[in-house]
Amino acid sequence: MQDPLEFYSLSIQQFEEKLHQLKKQLAASSTIRLLVFLSIGFGIYFFFGNPKAMIAIAVVGFVLFLYLVSRHTDLQYKRDLIVQLIAINTTEINVLKRDYLSLDDGREFIDPTHAYSYDIDLFGRGSFFQYINRTSIEEGRKHLFNTLTENSIDNIEQKQETIKELASKPKWRQQFSAIASLVKVQHATQDIVKWIHNYEAVFSKSIRLLPTIFSVISLTIIGLVGFNILDFNILVVWFFIGLSITGIFLKRINVIYRDADKAKDTFKQYHQLLNEIETVSFNSDILREKQNAIKTETKKASAIFAAFSKILDALDQRNNVFIAILGNALFLRDTQQAYKVEQWIKTYRNKVENWFNVIAFFDAQNSLSNVAFNHPTYSFPIIQQGDDVVHAKQLGHPLLKSEQRIDNDYLIRQEEFFIITGANMAGKSTFLRTVSLSIVMANIGLPVCANSYTYNPIQLITSMRTSDSLTDDASYFFSELKRLKFIVDKINPKAKENKYFVILDEILKGTNSTDKAIGSKKFVEKLVASNSTGIIATHDLSLCETEKTLPQIRNYYFDAEIINDELHFDYKLKNGICKNMNASFLLKKMEIV
């Protein structure tokens, strides 16, 4: 079992050594480029008056200088990649120390109407999303959001195998994330996909050979003029004929260029991510399926993306005055490149979206696999059918520090409901969120914070946090009623065959105690009749009486003790009904009364 803290610390040390070497290479590269530039200038000056020597020095020097510039750019990219890798490992060390509140919290994903995400702090400051999210591109971030909220219980064991395999490849995951973090694009991939899907060709097939034929004629005329076989004026006339033909197609070319320019950077950068996916070996079914999804019969998706990037770059060179005039006048260059864009779209329009989705999938899965790698003591749920829905040993909340966390054993069977009572601050709400989050983690294939966890997959639905809304003109009580109605509609056996795990923190908080007791009891009876399973936390001890009339109900509690005039909690789940409440004690202790 690899110690994550040791791995991250060693990785930082290794990358810092590489960074030091790259900085030295960059400094040397800058010096060499300067010397070459000065040498070219000196050579031209020294051989001034000798045209052949000057031209030779200029040509050789120019080619060499371009090579050095390209090499320097590659070194800069490697440096930036190493800097990102150091940052990735530094972040992981901080997160292991529970220093993660500066990370992206996904607050725009907060949705009070979702089945559970709002109640269990899945998004927002201090949320589970903020703790685990390591996505580098926006599409991956959205994919992670969808994974956390889809409430699916399908293929859990396959999901586990996916996470286990990626967790065993931390170097590959970090390399992928580092490359993705350097992706800087201004347009979302869904906009690019929409453009490609909706694009309608404007060039007929007859245009395909026109630039080639025109280029051959141009080169022939240039050669004949060079040998004084043709008059130079013929080349001038042909020059303007080329510009005229380009002018005919200019409007159509401009439309293609406008849209293609938005996609250029995306294809240039994303092909590297596809290459990372293509060049690694996977064994789990889901990973191999995703890898196969980016394969074609003849070419790799990364090569196809790279080729399209070059086509778009070539079209973008129309902004160079020299290329725009000579290229179009003699070779119909814009027409040729625009036609290539159209042909690429025609060939791959139905595959592009899937390729982008695969990249997003791996970006999101890296976050999930990172959880498994960072927590080697967590347990992957054992999936089995049977009476037990959840049977956990030493179940805890993953966002709490291990030295401060109090874990509990927990067993609940199908169609059972636990009613949990307890003093204020005794741990009821934390326990509800612990159970809820463990179900979410189990459903998406993650290991859970427990010594062992046997699980019969079930969908989750909660009502733990309700607020009134002045903008919607809804009172607190009415908001709660709407939430309970939402739950009833979901768990209605006639609506769906899916079984639900229902978690409630107080029922009918917005009404008087007598009305609450009557209504709560009827609602519990409704839940039991639905064949659902779940937990209800309450301060209403009268609700515990339902255990006597409904065999599906079991009472548990969290206790509080006053020792030496101080309030103490052990945060342990116990059988029975809580007898010790603490409101009056706290009022007196804080000198409120």
Side-chain angles (χ1 to χ4, degrees):
M1 186 180 295
Q2 193 168 20
D3 178 70
L5 186 59
E6 181 181 331
F7 172 81
Y8 296 134
S9 299
L10 181 60
S11 295
I12 289 175
Q13 180 182 339
Q14 293 172 343
F15 288 132
E16 284 180 340
E17 290 174 0
K18 289 182 180 179
L19 182 61
H20 178 70
Q21 293 298 321
L22 279 169
K23 286 181 177 179
K24 289 171 62 177
Q25 291 177 25
L26 279 166
S29 175
S30 297
T31 302
I32 292 171
R33 283 193 307 159
L34 177 61
L35 291 175
V36 168
F37 180 78
L38 293 175
S39 298
I40 294 170
F42 176 77
I44 291 174
Y45 175 78
F46 185 80
F47 289 99
F48 192 78
N50 186 341
K52 291 183 179 180
M54 291 173 60
I55 292 173
I57 291 171
V59 170
V60 172
F62 181 70
V63 171
L64 179 60
F65 190 77
L66 284 180
Y67 166 75
L68 292 173
V69 169
S70 176
R71 181 176 177 275
H72 192 82
T73 301
D74 290 342
L75 287 172
Q76 286 178 321
Y77 183 80
K78 289 179 181 179
R79 177 202 61 195
D80 294 343
L81 203 62
I82 295 296
V83 169
Q84 288 300 319
L85 287 165
I86 292 173
I88 287 171
N89 284 277
T90 302
T91 295
E92 294 308 325
I93 291 175
N94 292 336
V95 172
L96 286 175
K97 297 176 182 178
R98 293 303 191 273
D99 178 12
Y100 63 92
L101 296 182
S102 61
L103 302 179
D104 170 32
D105 61 14
R107 65 184 61 193
E108 71 271 30
F109 298 135
I110 295 175
D111 179 10
T113 66
H114 186 260
Y116 54 79
S117 68
Y118 182 63
D119 290 330
I120 66 175
D121 300 316
L122 212 53
F123 306 103
R125 182 172 172 79
S127 65
F128 186 65
F129 179 87
Q130 188 173 35
Y131 183 66
I132 72 166
N133 176 36
R134 302 295 185 277
T135 57
S136 300
I137 58 176
E138 184 59 25
E139 295 78 19
R141 186 170 176 268
K142 291 178 180 176
H143 196 289
L144 180 60
F145 155 72
N146 290 330
T147 301
L148 291 171
T149 56
E150 66 181 346
N151 209 9
S152 170
I153 59 175
D154 298 330
N155 305 318
I156 292 177
E157 289 173 306
Q158 287 183 305
K159 295 173 187 174
Q160 290 179 354
E161 291 305 311
T162 297
I163 289 172
K164 287 177 184 178
E165 183 167 6
L166 282 178
S168 70
K169 301 178 183 293
K171 291 184 178 180
W172 182 87
R173 287 189 291 105
Q174 288 193 355
Q175 179 75 5
F176 183 92
S177 294
I179 292 172
S181 66
L182 293 178
V183 170
K184 305 297 180 196
V185 295
Q186 308 223 344
H187 301 278
T189 56
Q190 60 260 34
D191 294 335
I192 295 171
V193 169
K194 185 178 179 181
W195 164 57
I196 290 175
H197 275 180
N198 297 334
Y199 182 80
E200 295 183 6
V202 295
F203 288 107
S204 63
K205 289 184 179 180
S206 59
I207 299 299
R208 179 171 63 91
L209 296 176
L210 179 61
T212 303
I213 295 172
F214 195 90
S215 298
V216 170
I217 296 174
S218 295
L219 292 173
T220 302
I221 293 174
I222 291 171
L224 293 174
V225 170
F227 286 104
N228 295 319
I229 297 174
L230 288 179
D231 187 77
F232 181 76
N233 290 329
I234 294 177
L235 179 60
V236 174
V237 172
W238 186 251
F239 180 91
F240 285 104
I241 290 174
L243 291 180
S244 299
I245 294 174
T246 300
I248 293 172
F249 298 116
L250 185 60
K251 186 175 181 181
R252 282 177 273 180
I253 294 171
N254 285 341
V255 171
I256 294 174
Y257 172 74
R258 182 196 64 203
D259 294 325
D261 188 58
K262 298 175 183 178
K264 182 184 61 173
D265 289 339
T266 300
F267 282 93
K268 181 183 294 185
Q269 298 175 77
Y270 273 53
H271 84 85
Q272 297 177 73
L273 296 174
L274 286 170
N275 183 65
E276 290 296 314
I277 297 169
E278 291 166 341
T279 54
V280 67
S281 176
F282 292 124
N283 296 314
S284 63
D285 291 341
I286 293 177
L287 293 178
R288 292 175 67 179
E289 176 188 329
K290 296 296 181 181
Q291 198 174 44
N292 289 333
I294 59 173
K295 290 182 178 178
T296 65
E297 295 180 0
T298 56
K299 293 182 179 179
K300 292 181 178 180
S302 59
I304 294 170
F305 265 45
F308 193 46
S309 172
K310 291 180 180 179
I311 294 172
L312 298 178
D313 276 340
L315 182 60
D316 189 55
Q317 289 174 3
R318 69 199 301 258
N319 292 317
N320 182 302
V321 176
F322 181 79
I323 293 177
I325 296 175
L326 290 181
N328 285 309
L330 299 175
F331 307 107
L332 304 183
R333 194 173 185 279
D334 281 2
T335 306
Q336 182 184 47
Q337 300 306 324
Y339 183 78
K340 286 182 179 180
V341 171
E342 282 199 342
Q343 291 305 298
W344 191 97
I345 292 174
K346 180 181 177 181
T347 305
Y348 300 110
R349 74 162 73 237
N350 295 323
K351 297 180 179 180
V352 172
E353 183 175 14
N354 190 43
W355 291 339
F356 281 129
N357 288 339
V358 170
I359 293 172
F361 167 83
F362 276 95
D363 194 37
Q365 284 297 312
N366 278 352
S367 291
L368 300 180
S369 301
N370 198 60
V371 175
F373 181 81
N374 280 353
H375 300 284
T377 60
Y378 284 13
S379 300
F380 279 94
I382 299 172
I383 308 301
Q384 64 180 35
Q385 302 299 317
D387 291 335
D388 296 350
V389 176
V390 175
H391 187 187
K393 294 289 187 181
Q394 296 300 290
L395 178 66
H397 198 293
L399 298 189
L400 297 176
K401 294 181 179 179
S402 57
E403 60 270 19
Q404 299 173 349
R405 192 180 68 228
I406 303 298
D407 301 333
N408 279 282
D409 293 345
Y410 173 62
L411 168 62
I412 188 168
R413 296 184 171 88
Q414 287 197 57
E415 300 180 14
E416 281 188 340
F417 267 90
F418 287 5
I419 294 180
I420 299 180
T421 53
N424 293 303
M425 302 182 296
K428 298 191 304 299
S429 295
T430 298
F431 180 73
L432 297 188
R433 288 181 172 83
T434 298
V435 173
S436 299
L437 190 53
S438 75
I439 292 173
V440 173
M441 294 173 72
N443 285 343
I444 63 179
L446 281 173
V448 300
C449 182
N451 288 348
S452 66
Y453 196 93
T454 303
Y455 179 53
N456 187 349
I458 193 168
Q459 290 182 301
L460 177 67
I461 190 167
T462 66
S463 179
M464 300 167 63
R465 178 185 289 139
T466 311
S467 61
D468 56 359
S469 174
L470 295 177
T471 56
D472 294 335
D473 195 23
S475 69
Y476 181 96
F477 182 62
F478 186 65
S479 295
E480 187 179 10
L481 289 179
K482 288 197 296 183
R483 185 65 179 179
L484 296 180
K485 179 65 167 61
F486 169 75
I487 292 174
V488 168
D489 291 342
K490 281 285 187 181
I491 66 177
N492 184 355
K494 296 180 181 179
K496 285 187 178 181
E497 295 181 358
N498 295 346
K499 295 289 185 71
Y500 281 92
F501 198 103
V502 182
I503 295 185
L504 308 175
D505 193 357
E506 289 291 345
I507 306 174
L508 305 178
K509 296 184 283 291
T511 187
N512 65 72
S513 55
T514 302
D515 195 30
K516 172 183 176 181
I518 296 171
S520 296
K521 182 179 179 181
K522 290 183 178 180
F523 190 72
V524 169
E525 292 172 350
K526 178 85 171 180
L527 292 176
V528 170
S530 72
N531 300 324
S532 300
T533 306
I535 308 173
I536 302 167
T538 183
H539 286 97
D540 182 8
L541 299 184
S542 68
L543 197 59
C544 300
E545 298 296 316
T546 55
E547 184 184 46
K548 299 176 182 178
T549 57
L550 296 172
Q552 298 92 336
I553 300 296
R554 297 176 64 186
N555 288 320
Y556 287 86
Y557 72 99
F558 286 93
D559 204 4
E561 292 184 292
I562 299 174
I563 303 174
N564 297 327
D565 203 33
E566 293 292 337
L567 196 60
H568 291 270
F569 304 102
D570 62 9
Y571 304 109
K572 301 299 290 186
L573 183 67
K574 303 179 180 70
N575 281 302
I577 304 171
C578 182
K579 303 299 182 183
N580 300 323
M581 298 299 182
N582 60 12
S584 58
F585 171 79
L586 290 173
L587 287 169
K588 182 178 178 180
K589 185 72 176 176
M590 297 176 67
E591 298 181 352
I592 297 173
V593 297

